[in-house]
Amino acid sequence: MTRRKYPHQLTGNNELTCCALALATYRGRMSELMNGRLRMPRTAPENFPLIAAIDLGSNSFHMILAKTDQGEIRVLERLGDKIQLAAGLDEQRQLSEEAMQRGLECLSRYAQLITDLPQGAVRVVGTNALREAVNRDTFIQRAEALLGHTVEVISGREEARLIYLGVSHNMPAFQGNRLVVDIGGGSTEFIIGQSFEPLIMESLQMGCVSYSQRLFQDGKITPARYGQAYTAARLELMRVEQALQRHGWQEAIGASGTVRAIGLAVKSAGLSNGEVTLEGMTWLKRKLFKLGDVDKIDFEGVKNDRRAIFPAGLAILEAIFDAFGLQQMVHSEGALREGVLYDLIGRLQHEDVRERTVSALMERYHVDPEQALRVETKALEALQQVAGDWDLQEEWHQELLVWAARVHEIGLDIAHFQYHKHGAYLIENSELAGFSTQDQQMLALLVRGHRRGIPKDRFSGSGSEGEKLLRLCVLLRFAILFHHIRGNREVPEVRLLAKAQQLSIRFPQGWLENNPLTVADFAQEAEWLAKAGFNLLVS
């Protein structure tokens, strides 16, 4: 297994909308400027007949093992376990050893089904509990050792995007907008979308496990406690009510176990056919007040391990109904884990949403596409020459280098002075669809280090993968320096030779003597790299 360690766990809060027009523009320019250029090979989808997704949720862990068939998935195995990871978070946001053990025991069972699947065929995503946990790296490292695959922590809006993808593939075709709601253990996601495209995505800090810990920890159900949970949810909802209502919708769908359990409880009372209704929730609420204790909950369809979080889930859902004026909500079996699978298929079939995200970033911050392409091409050529010697042969090495080459100049839209820092900040604090939190941090680090001094402490702080990131940064800097003089001028073929902490660049004989600016550039670069413990030789 190749396991990544990541520097500086940062999260963002600014929305970035993917722009298909920007992607088409950039690809068009690529085609015009780079006929027949070489790329390192990607894994073909037919090489992954089996794929799997694991959702490390705040309440439950889920896994799907599926077979791919013409871009569709045929589910072979579904597993789900109530772990309540969010219940293990204390006031300092430390995840308890007991909660970690519950999760790891579950993952040890899941690991048996994916032990023979190759890298790239399995995607593991962590949601709100791992976003919140300050010691998440401890759990992630142990989980990766068990599973043999990388664990990604995704942002709230990325979680929302994947939920919508899972719902839209699971529900019948529908004309008009859909409101999708997923009440999780620690957060609740809201998406309005049309067909397979999300239009707006939001994630709020309210969940059935976290609210249960705060208000129903001893299992007692009272109107006062229920009212506190309802009010807390309404206050959270005020942040997104107007934005969602401006888009409007014609159908409301719930994608979580909470909505499914409430729908089944309402059905058992003969008040619906499985959908959630206002009348049904009113009946459930009265019934809960009469029971007075979670241990007495005996609604049909509500499993024993969901009793403790049922009142909080009902309070949150009632607040959602009232905030948006809903009359009913249907349930979708498709959710985050299915969305992860379809997103994985898209990556394997070169329909990667991350490509659209990067193109949108370039468009938003007015990146010069010709210069970006020149740098990308030279960086890939350099990578091909040194990949073996520098152990940079995995697909993510190429992807990260390409994306960094495309967006390294976004900070120029803010100011020229320290634009590499502006660019890194923008990447760290934007919502980048398709990117995990870790991948986003690594991309920001390459952009931060692409010129002037290299923040060696941030690279060295990420363990063995930090060395690979530093090498990618050196290759990016070389490509940028090589095209310091912009334009489609004729450039020489150069040879790169790599050792552990050294890169040798050999120009054609006599070329450097006729290009003193390049000589000066690389002399200065050698000084910058020396401060980072790297030796650059130019001849």
Side-chain angles (χ1 to χ4, degrees), residues 26 30 34-39 373 376-377 380 402 406:
Y26 184 67
M30 287 174 62
M34 283 303 303
N35 251 332
R37 72 182 166 90
L38 295 175
R39 269 192 177 275
L373 181 57
E376 175 188 340
T377 303
L380 283 175
V402 166
R406 294 180 187 178

Side-chain angles (χ1 to χ4, degrees), residues 19 26 36 50 64 91 158 209 213 242-243 279 297 307 315 323 341 354 408 417 420 442 486 512 514-515 539:
C19 178
Y26 184 67
L50 294 181
I64 292 184
E91 292 182 357
E158 175 64 4
V209 175
Q213 289 292 108
Q242 290 188 353
E279 180 188 9
I297 293 176
R307 289 177 180 176
L341 280 186
R354 294 173 298 178
H408 73 277
F417 180 67
H420 52 304
M442 292 194 297
R486 295 170 180 253
L512 286 174
N514 297 322
N515 292 271
S539 61

Side-chain angles (χ1 to χ4, degrees), residues 202-273:
E202 296 289 352
S203 179
L204 298 181
Q205 289 293 102
M206 59 183 190
C208 53
V209 175
S210 57
Y211 275 31
S212 295
Q213 289 292 108
R214 282 168 49 191
L215 300 166
F216 302 99
Q217 192 168 25
D218 61 359
K220 302 302 179 184
I221 309 168
T222 66
R225 291 184 180 188
Y226 185 94
Q228 284 181 280
Y230 172 89
T231 300
R234 283 304 304 266
L235 289 172
E236 279 289 319
L237 285 161
M238 288 175 65
R239 295 170 45 199
V240 301
E241 282 181 47
Q242 290 188 353
L244 292 172
Q245 288 173 341
R246 275 198 299 268
H247 281 76
W249 57 86
Q250 289 74 50
E251 182 181 44
I253 300 171
S256 63
T258 292
V259 174
R260 182 177 185 273
I262 292 173
L264 290 174
V266 171
K267 182 181 179 181
S268 70
L271 298 175
S272 79
N273 293 317

Side-chain angles (χ1 to χ4, degrees), residues 389-405:
D389 292 329
W390 270 359
D391 192 22
L392 298 174
Q393 296 170 304
E394 293 185 56
E395 188 170 323
W396 71 269
H397 298 142
Q398 176 196 345
E399 290 175 337
L400 196 62
L401 185 60
V402 166
W403 293 328

Side-chain angles (χ1 to χ4, degrees), residues 167-218:
V167 170
S168 60
H169 276 88
N170 184 75
M171 300 295 286
F174 181 77
Q175 296 296 320
N177 289 355
R178 279 172 162 157
L179 169 66
V180 175
V181 177
D182 190 307
I183 302 173
S187 65
T188 298
E189 280 64 50
F190 300 85
I191 314 96
I192 292 178
Q194 196 172 87
S195 185
F196 295 102
E197 291 296 324
L199 302 174
I200 183 171
M201 298 166 287
E202 296 289 352
S203 179
L204 298 181
Q205 289 293 102
M206 59 183 190
C208 53
V209 175
S210 57
Y211 275 31
S212 295
Q213 289 292 108
R214 282 168 49 191
L215 300 166
F216 302 99
Q217 192 168 25
D218 61 359

Side-chain angles (χ1 to χ4, degrees), residues 55-108:
D55 162 18
L56 308 181
S58 301
N59 181 41
S60 305
F61 283 9
H62 292 276
M63 174 177 164
I64 292 184
L65 180 68
K67 182 177 182 180
T68 59
D69 184 16
Q70 302 297 318
E72 295 297 320
I73 59 174
R74 185 188 307 166
V75 175
L76 303 177
E77 191 80 45
R78 288 182 186 269
L79 299 174
D81 295 88
K82 290 288 185 295
I83 304 300
Q84 295 201 334
L85 205 62
L89 288 170
D90 62 19
E91 292 182 357
Q92 287 72 45
R93 297 189 298 151
Q94 289 280 343
L95 192 60
S96 70
E97 178 62 26
E98 183 183 358
M100 289 192 197
Q101 281 299 327
R102 290 198 302 268
L104 294 171
E105 287 172 10
C106 171
L107 294 181
S108 68

Side-chain angles (χ1 to χ4, degrees), residues 10 32 48 100 108 272 283 286 290 298 300 306 358 363 399 419 454 461 471 499 513 521:
L10 301 170
E32 293 170 8
F48 290 157
M100 289 192 197
S108 68
S272 79
W283 177 83
R286 291 171 179 166
K290 288 181 181 179
D298 59 353
E300 188 176 333
R306 185 167 284 277
V358 169
E363 183 80 5
E399 290 175 337
Y419 73 84
I454 294 176
R471 290 170 176 174
K499 294 181 181 179
E513 286 82 347
D521 274 344

Side-chain angles (χ1 to χ4, degrees), residues 291-518:
L291 294 173
D293 195 296
V294 296
D295 289 334
K296 296 180 181 179
I297 293 176
D298 59 353
F299 304 126
E300 188 176 333
V302 180
K303 297 178 181 178
N304 291 343
D305 57 10
R306 185 167 284 277
R307 289 177 180 176
I309 59 175
F310 189 84
L314 182 63
I316 292 171
L317 189 58
E318 184 184 7
I320 292 169
F321 265 61
D322 290 348
F324 298 123
L326 301 180
Q327 297 301 311
Q328 72 170 30
M329 178 180 287
V330 298
H331 178 254
S332 167
E333 291 295 339
L336 175 60
R337 48 202 174 273
E338 288 81 8
V340 170
L341 280 186
Y342 278 106
D343 197 58
L344 182 57
I345 290 174
R347 293 184 180 187
L348 299 178
Q349 295 179 340
H350 304 272
E351 297 170 1
D352 193 338
V353 70
R354 294 173 298 178
E355 294 285 334
R356 289 193 290 152
T357 296
V358 169
S359 294
L361 202 62
M362 294 172 67
E363 183 80 5
R364 170 176 287 188
Y365 295 109
H366 308 101
V367 169
D368 177 352
E370 283 86 0
Q371 179 67 4
L373 181 57
R374 284 189 287 266
V375 172
E376 175 188 340
T377 303
K378 184 55 65 178
L380 283 175
E381 290 176 1
L383 179 61
Q384 288 177 325
Q385 291 191 48
V386 304
D389 292 329
W390 270 359
D391 192 22
L392 298 174
Q393 296 170 304
E394 293 185 56
E395 188 170 323
W396 71 269
H397 298 142
Q398 176 196 345
E399 290 175 337
L400 196 62
L401 185 60
V402 166
W403 293 328
R406 294 180 187 178
V407 302
H408 73 277
E409 289 191 330
I410 63 171
L412 282 171
D413 212 43
I414 307 299
H416 184 275
F417 180 67
Q418 296 192 334
Y419 73 84
H420 52 304
K421 295 181 180 180
H422 300 321
Y425 178 86
L426 291 172
I427 292 171
E428 287 171 350
N429 294 279
S430 295
E431 291 283 354
L432 303 185
F435 283 86
S436 69
T437 303
Q438 298 99 315
D439 287 339
Q440 193 167 331
Q441 291 157 5
M442 292 194 297
L443 180 59
L445 184 54
L446 288 189
V447 171
R448 167 64 180 83
H450 87 263
R451 66 189 292 266
R452 302 187 68 79
I454 294 176
K456 188 181 177 182
D457 57 331
R458 294 185 62 181
F459 284 96
S460 60
S462 52
S464 61
E465 298 297 351
E467 187 63 42
K468 294 179 183 178
L469 285 173
L470 180 57
R471 290 170 176 174
L472 289 174
C473 187
V474 170
L475 294 178
L476 177 64
R477 290 170 70 102
F478 158 75
I480 293 168
L481 209 59
F482 196 85
H483 288 288
H484 185 181
I485 301 175
R486 295 170 180 253
N488 294 321
R489 67 190 184 99
E490 209 171 301
V491 292
E493 293 291 329
V494 297
R495 176 114 183 251
L496 274 64
L497 300 173
K499 294 181 181 179
Q501 294 295 112
Q502 178 175 297
L503 180 67
S504 298
I505 306 172
R506 295 182 180 176
F507 285 85
Q509 188 173 3
W511 191 89
L512 286 174
E513 286 82 347
N514 297 322
N515 292 271
L517 179 59
T518 299

